Amino acid sequence: MIARPQLPPPLGTLPDMDAGDERPAVFAADVLDDWTTRFVAQIAAPGAQRFILHRKGRAEHVLLDATSGSWAALTQDDDTWTVRQGGGERLWDAVEEHVAVWRSGGAPGLERFEVTVTPLGQTISWSM
């Protein structure tokens, strides 16, 4: 039987990307170019969609959770990356925290991840 494709929810109206809190980013947006790192990031922000928005003459690397309205936009200025975040959850803070913990444990491969599903929900962890 062919599985039904899973489509993300529609983005809807984008939030005001000039609002929110800004700080230097610990990790650059290109950290998500690595598949396993992106998997770890998705654990931290499971409802977020990733896209690039071109505005004001630069690329903004955006994570948007259309359901919660939370968002993070990363921009690069020379070698420095900045993140601006808004909504109820700080998506990039959660991504940076998960990636940092995963890396501090030696960045284990996917074979070290464990998915547990119970009637109460799903958890994903990795052994160090």
Side-chain angles (χ1 to χ4, degrees):
M1 175 186 277
I2 297 175
R4 175 178 52 96
Q6 294 181 350
L7 297 175
L11 292 176
T13 303
L14 293 179
D16 179 1
M17 298 299 211
D18 293 320
D21 303 318
E22 186 175 284
R23 67 167 176 81
V26 174
F27 296 119
D30 63 0
V31 71
L32 299 179
D33 292 344
D34 172 69
W35 196 94
T36 306
T37 307
R38 193 166 53 246
F39 184 81
V40 173
Q42 189 175 8
I43 296 168
Q49 298 177 59
R50 177 184 177 207
F51 59 92
I52 297 176
L53 181 65
H54 295 277
R55 66 183 201 110
K56 295 185 178 183
R58 65 181 180 186
E60 294 187 12
H61 299 258
V62 179
L63 293 180
L64 174 65
D65 186 327
T67 303
S68 74
S70 299
W71 59 273
L74 288 97
T75 55
Q76 183 179 15
D77 188 21
D78 295 322
D79 291 334
T80 304
W81 283 84
T82 302
V83 61
R84 180 177 292 277
Q85 303 179 88
E89 301 170 31
R90 296 297 181 248
L91 297 177
W92 196 248
D93 290 358
V95 167
E96 286 182 338
E97 180 182 338
H98 270 70
V99 170
V101 169
W102 172 69
R103 285 183 173 180
S104 72
L110 290 176
E111 69 278 357
R112 304 269 300 277
F113 283 75
E114 181 177 303
V115 178
T116 304
V117 180
T118 70
L120 299 176
Q122 166 185 293
T123 59
I124 302 173
S125 59
W126 59 86
S127 57
M128 296 203 200

